Amino acid sequence: MMDTSERIKALLSRRVLENITLLKMLEAYGAAMNCRLLEHDEQWSMLLRLPTSDCPYDAKTYPDASHIVFLAGTDADLLDQLVGELSLNQPLVFKVQRAEYEALLRNRLTLERKRAFHTYSIGKGDLVKLPSRDVAEERRLNAALLPLWMANGYAREELEVMFVGGARSYTLYEQGSPVSTCLAFPNYGKVWEIGAVHTLASHRGRGLAAQVVGAAAASLIERGLVPRYHVEAGNAASIALAEKLGFTHEVELVHLHYAGNGEGTPTDSRGASTC
């Protein structure tokens, strides 16, 4: 019999790109999560809570929040029941991937929108072909590329782990030196992330980033994988790059901060499965 965490993953995987953040967080931090699942006939809803301190990014970005909360489901009443179960005496951050979820939360709580991220993807035959450049694909970590990736906030140890896990780099070199690069690395299942895009300031405005990202996407598609390009909502240059290459917008993930003033009335979530 499938346990609750596997059942949750199976339900979320029906819309992998829409729920990619939840799936990845379950994979990385599932042991620390409180997971609640309600099912009735063919309808289902779930709520996942992760202590903020367990995720380095969230601990740094939202130090006041006690938990990061994710939700998903097909039934608004079941979702509302699960939200009503939450303790509301401490700050929380909700990460929601559908406008309906945000509306449901705002019906109960006063929330502040902190930031949003867009997920783009692309399939076979949709990638725009750019004028050919000699983009180098490398399967081992090249120390010459570390300064470019680290300028984007990556730590060497983090990059080393990525390459152990199968990451590949895509780089344009001029006169033997790297001028533009990106990484492709596993996210969840067949979904691979394209990230760490960086072009030297002296070489920007020449379309080099599009070249390396396009090469990464083409390689992933050829290998039967699903490219994911993740960008913060205010990053106009990265959004333009995705659109230039023919990527399709899949989902917006919105971070909503709740101040923890005890709004709402917790309810008993009868019949919920917990992992």
Side-chain angles (χ1 to χ4, degrees):
M1 183 177 179
M2 187 180 296
D3 66 24
T4 302
S5 62
E6 291 304 312
R7 176 60 176 163
I8 286 175
K9 289 178 184 177
L11 291 168
L12 292 174
S13 293
R14 294 176 181 178
R15 295 178 177 269
V16 173
L17 285 172
E18 178 179 304
N19 297 313
I20 190 67
T21 299
L22 286 73
L23 288 163
K24 183 61 180 176
M25 296 297 282
L26 273 167
E27 184 176 70
Y29 304 108
M33 276 188 169
N34 175 271
C35 314
R36 303 287 281 166
L37 172 65
L38 282 173
E39 294 189 80
H40 180 71
D41 296 330
E42 296 299 314
Q43 304 301 315
W44 58 271
S45 291
M46 66 184 67
L47 187 144
L48 315 176
R49 290 190 303 128
L50 175 68
T52 307
S53 58
D54 282 23
C55 179
Y57 170 84
D58 290 312
K60 180 179 179 180
T61 309
Y62 303 113
D64 71 317
S66 66
H67 289 79
I68 306 300
V69 184
F70 305 88
L71 56 155
T74 60
D75 186 277
D77 290 337
L78 294 179
L79 271 176
D80 191 59
Q81 185 178 345
L82 289 172
V83 172
E85 182 185 85
L86 288 170
S87 173
L88 301 173
N89 294 321
Q90 293 180 299
L92 302 170
V93 170
F94 295 87
K95 297 185 181 181
V96 297
Q97 67 278 26
R98 300 189 69 169
E100 304 95 282
Y101 304 160
E102 180 175 352
L104 181 149
L105 290 168
R106 288 191 182 278
N107 193 47
R108 278 183 173 267
L109 305 171
T110 301
L111 300 167
E112 180 185 1
R113 183 179 174 125
K114 287 293 187 179
R115 51 185 49 83
F117 297 87
H118 296 297
T119 285
Y120 290 85
S121 188
I122 195 162
K124 187 175 182 179
D126 297 325
L127 187 63
V128 174
K129 292 184 179 180
L130 301 176
S132 180
R133 291 288 301 265
D134 188 16
V135 177
E137 180 185 82
E138 298 172 76
R139 303 186 186 189
R140 294 185 179 182
L141 191 153
N142 183 342
L145 301 175
L146 284 173
L148 283 75
W149 297 327
M150 293 173 73
N152 282 27
Y154 289 88
R156 180 179 184 128
E157 296 77 12
E158 182 182 10
L159 293 162
E160 288 172 346
V161 170
M162 286 183 184
F163 278 90
V164 169
R168 300 183 183 187
S169 60
Y170 298 84
T171 308
L172 280 169
Y173 292 88
E174 292 186 359
Q175 298 179 341
S177 297
V179 295
S180 186
T181 188
C182 74
L183 289 172
F185 51 92
N187 185 309
Y188 181 86
K190 288 191 172 184
V191 179
W192 276 51
E193 198 84 10
I194 299 175
V197 184
H198 190 86
T199 301
L200 294 179
S202 57
H203 290 75
R204 290 174 189 168
R206 298 168 52 197
L208 303 185
Q211 293 283 343
V212 296
V213 170
S219 176
L220 293 175
I221 292 168
E222 184 178 344
R223 293 159 57 200
L225 301 169
V226 179
R228 178 185 185 238
Y229 187 73
H230 186 59
V231 56
E232 192 158 5
N235 192 336
S238 288
I239 291 171
L241 184 155
E243 294 173 349
K244 176 180 179 179
L245 289 170
F247 279 72
T248 299
H249 184 266
E250 299 288 344
V251 64
E252 180 185 42
L253 184 75
V254 179
H255 294 193
L256 302 166
H257 184 269
Y258 166 69
N261 56 10
E263 295 178 38
T265 304
T267 60
D268 177 23
S269 192
R270 301 178 187 277
S273 300
T274 304
C275 64

